[in-house]
Amino acid sequence: LLAQMGDTKAADWAALSEPYLTKIDLWMEGYRQNELLGKTDNGETTMSFDYVIPVTAVKAQLKQMVMDLLADETLIAALTALLPEDDVARYLAPTLQSYYFYAIDELPMEGDITLSRTVNLAGETLSLSLALPLYDSQGGAATVTYSRTQGDGDLPEENVIELNSQSAGVRVEYQTYDTLTGTAVYQGTVLWQPLTGEKDRAFSAAFTLSSASGASTDAEGK
């Protein structure tokens, strides 16, 4: 589906998805708590707040989104134009709603989604941390956490991603910054650590990734 969407206008899909993103934002605001004013080291005023969302609430919201999508004739028509006929019948039929609900109910997730965020008066995110409960059919219950801290001045952004299950943990730390030539650079380390069994099989490595993009027009005007 994503490969086929590559031939469509991004703006068209942004317009179709915007109502759903707005609904998610409004839904999340119902779980905001612990608002706190503060200041950075350079005296900039900040506001910090937390969200704690039970998995049961996430499942209820997923069901609502399924209902909204299956009743969204404009979005269904756009997806139908991209998918093979068999997939349209398999995924987009309104009669499938009860099956989606069953699948959501059976997701073996426990705990809460937690999100902490600090912003400045301009609404720019200075720091962000997120924890998501997950479940893997082989590894069992797991938790993925992500944190991002904006560097002061010219200092790069700091990012940490961790995935912890009953058997192993993975930690990725990296910095991001842009060069004068417009290239984005990601530099950091990755660590894999088994929590049981052969702990001497831990693996770590350093990496540097550079990313640049440009636009051009082919012979057909695309």
Side-chain angles (χ1 to χ4, degrees), residues 20-48:
Y20 295 90
L21 297 177
T22 300
K23 288 178 181 179
I24 292 173
D25 287 341
L26 294 174
W27 168 72
M28 285 186 61
E29 285 307 305
Y31 296 91
R32 182 195 283 204
Q33 55 185 265
N34 303 329
E35 295 184 7
L36 181 66
L37 288 174
K39 287 187 179 295
T40 63
D41 293 339
N42 60 9
E44 184 179 21
T45 300
T46 63
M47 176 176 282
S48 301

Side-chain angles (χ1 to χ4, degrees), residues 49-66:
F49 41 85
D50 302 323
Y51 298 85
V52 179
I53 308 176
V55 164
T56 52
V58 174
K59 289 185 176 183
Q61 180 65 7
L62 279 172
K63 291 180 180 179
Q64 182 62 55
M65 299 289 277
V66 168

Side-chain angles (χ1 to χ4, degrees), residues 72-144:
D72 189 336
E73 295 181 0
T74 303
L75 181 56
I76 291 293
L79 291 171
T80 299
L82 291 178
L83 290 170
E85 186 174 337
D86 289 346
D87 284 347
V88 171
R90 184 177 294 119
Y91 298 119
L92 301 181
T95 54
L96 295 175
Q97 176 178 300
S98 60
Y99 292 94
Y100 281 120
F101 281 17
Y102 174 80
I104 292 169
D105 285 333
E106 291 300 306
L107 288 172
M109 297 168 61
E110 298 179 353
D112 300 326
I113 291 177
T114 60
L115 172 67
S116 298
R117 190 174 172 215
T118 299
V119 301
N120 59 19
L121 293 181
E124 299 170 329
T125 299
L126 303 179
S127 64
L128 174 73
S129 62
L130 173 68
L132 297 172
L134 300 176
Y135 187 86
D136 178 74
S137 60
Q138 295 183 346
T143 302
V144 61

